[in-house]
Amino acid sequence: MISLSGKVALVTGGSRGIGAAVAILFAKAGADVAITYLSDRKSAARVKKQIERLGRICLPVRTQASLATSVQRAVAQTVKEFGRIDILINNAGIWKRAPIHTMTEEQWDETIDVNLKGTYLFCKAVLPAMKKKGGKIINIASTAGQRGEAGYSHYAASKGAVIAFTKSIAAELAPMGIHVNCVAPGWVATDMTLPALRSRSTLRTIQRTIPRGRVASPDDIAGPVLFLASHLSDHLVGATLSVNGGGVMNT
């Protein structure tokens, strides 16, 4: 029932983890996909190969999400390659431990710049392409932005801001036919979280906080993102889907 045939999606941070799972699932649904990556060219090439095996086109674009000129270049390359952008997934992000008593200004700025400023830059950059025929924007937040996260206050602040930003621009853009929503994952097994999940005792502790009893895979997050990118979510505006196995339940 869900088809993205004829659609073009831009997935930031699309070379690994959630971004890669989203890009591949979108290709399975019939979309052509541009993915951004910062330094892992090999992973981007692997995603490109998987998407091409599905008979779709993939454009990897090296991009620094916190730099306006780099973001604008990525969007321009996508439009030049495909002629349009129908869907934007703001997934690029970082998660680095920094307790508040030792956090440096540089650590704070880096996280806010990538996670929040990068989301803003991409949303703004795709608007000229989306205003013509409408579109979908899905921002990837986190449960940390809903309840906070000790040791990662800068990350939680950035993701809480992404949720508020999503609601704000959703109201602005809905009259233009651009639907903006958000997905807030809980624990997901990715390269980013591997150091924390490597310890069996830590993993068991985390699993006990999740009613489903397990940490999500990237594919668990990609499914809800696909739903939000499809016509089935057309009456959702400014919503946040909490995809965490029940670990955090918000009204």
Side-chain angles (χ1 to χ4, degrees), residues 192-233:
M192 189 168 70
T193 61
L194 183 60
L197 299 176
R198 188 178 285 120
S199 165
R200 291 191 177 186
S201 61
T202 301
L203 178 58
R204 285 195 295 269
T205 299
I206 291 169
Q207 288 172 333
R208 284 195 290 269
T209 69
I210 303 171
R212 285 202 73 204
R214 68 172 180 83
V215 169
S217 70
D219 288 337
D220 289 323
I221 312 304
V225 175
L226 175 62
F227 161 69
L228 288 177
S230 77
H231 70 91
L232 297 178
S233 68

Side-chain angles (χ1 to χ4, degrees), residues 12-13 36-39 61-74 89-94 110-123 125:
T12 75
T36 74
Y37 68 97
L38 178 59
S39 58
V61 185
R62 188 176 185 277
T63 310
Q64 187 173 336
S66 60
L67 186 62
T69 54
S70 184
V71 169
Q72 291 161 2
R73 185 164 53 249
I89 311 300
N90 275 307
N91 168 74
I94 57 174
E110 179 189 25
T111 294
I112 297 299
D113 281 353
V114 175
N115 295 358
L116 179 57
K117 183 181 177 183
T119 296
Y120 147 72
L121 289 174
F122 268 103
C123 286

Side-chain angles (χ1 to χ4, degrees), residues 65-130:
S66 60
L67 186 62
T69 54
S70 184
V71 169
Q72 291 161 2
R73 185 164 53 249
V75 171
Q77 285 183 245
T78 303
V79 172
K80 181 179 180 181
E81 174 72 18
F82 299 111
R84 59 191 294 167
I85 297 176
D86 302 290
I87 304 161
L88 168 66
I89 311 300
N90 275 307
N91 168 74
I94 57 174
W95 181 71
K96 298 181 180 181
R97 182 173 174 80
I100 188 61
H101 60 284
T102 61
M103 186 190 300
T104 65
E105 187 176 348
E106 289 73 21
Q107 288 173 313
W108 172 272
D109 287 344
E110 179 189 25
T111 294
I112 297 299
D113 281 353
V114 175
N115 295 358
L116 179 57
K117 183 181 177 183
T119 296
Y120 147 72
L121 289 174
F122 268 103
C123 286
K124 184 177 180 181
V126 301
L127 290 183
M130 283 193 177

